[in-house]
Amino acid sequence: MPVHLGERYTLSFACLAEVKSAGTLITTRWKVSQLSSPEFVRPREGAATTLFRCPTCRMDFSVRVESLAKARAKRLANLVVGAVLLALLLVWVPMLVHYGGQTVDEDQADSTVTTIGLLVLATAVSFVGGLTAFRMGRAYTGLNKLRRTTGEGRPSIRVKGHKFWP
């Protein structure tokens, strides 16, 4: 599902509610909250830090919010890279089929095997990288660096049991 980027934003935030362990199977249950406020407005330029409180556990957090232009540029870059890598599959797969279907002499076997190996690698990178970049581009919101705020007002590095929700 594509994310709408606008001047106002909503935090999709999850708090770990329950962890169950049964042998080797571990299941988790997350409590998801959609936090919105009239104060949640993107900065005009660069990035800004916004403070908020988890509605489930009442802990204070900070999040880095990018400007609309910067978030759209990063989103577009991911989408373009993903689309180009996926479009390259239209080159790699026919070449792979062509070289794979040929019979070669024994003296050319090493170069053909190397060529086919490189084409398989290029196909795999284009497929996995293209899908990953395209998916990241569609889901990019410009919200990052989730940090728990300590009692002294400083952000911590580790945030256990909390995450942005897709």
Side-chain angles (χ1 to χ4, degrees):
M1 179 171 105
V3 176
H4 173 72
L5 288 178
E7 283 294 322
R8 297 196 181 282
Y9 60 91
T10 300
L11 285 170
S12 294
F13 184 71
C15 182
L16 186 60
E18 181 181 12
V19 178
K20 288 183 182 178
S21 177
T24 58
L25 182 66
I26 298 174
T27 57
T28 58
R29 190 173 59 85
W30 293 87
K31 172 112 165 92
V32 180
S33 302
Q34 298 284 334
L35 305 176
S36 62
S37 169
E39 298 172 1
F40 287 172
V41 179
R42 293 182 185 274
R44 295 270 181 224
E45 294 179 357
T49 301
T50 301
L51 301 173
F52 68 96
R53 180 168 285 192
C54 176
T56 305
C57 65
R58 302 289 184 224
M59 293 177 74
D60 292 326
F61 290 91
S62 67
V63 63
R64 186 171 162 260
V65 181
E66 294 177 343
S67 68
L68 185 59
K70 189 173 182 179
R72 283 185 176 163
K74 285 184 178 181
R75 181 180 189 169
L76 182 63
N78 276 329
L79 288 172
V80 167
V81 167
V84 167
L85 284 173
L86 290 173
L88 281 174
L89 286 173
L90 297 174
V91 174
W92 302 137
V93 172
M95 286 178 66
L96 187 60
V97 170
H98 173 72
Y99 279 108
Q102 289 182 344
T103 55
V104 294
D105 296 329
E106 287 184 22
D107 58 337
Q108 295 177 339
D110 288 340
S111 66
T112 303
V113 168
T114 302
T115 303
I116 290 174
L118 289 174
L119 286 172
V120 167
L121 180 66
T123 302
V125 167
S126 290
F127 182 72
V128 173
L131 285 179
T132 302
F134 197 76
R135 186 172 179 213
M136 286 176 57
R138 286 176 50 101
Y140 191 75
T141 60
L143 305 173
N144 52 32
K145 292 192 180 178
L146 176 65
R147 301 287 187 253
R148 188 173 66 80
T149 306
T150 62
E152 298 150 3
R154 293 181 307 179
S156 67
I157 300 299
R158 295 182 179 223
V159 179
K160 289 185 177 182
H162 295 85
K163 65 181 180 178
F164 291 123
W165 197 256

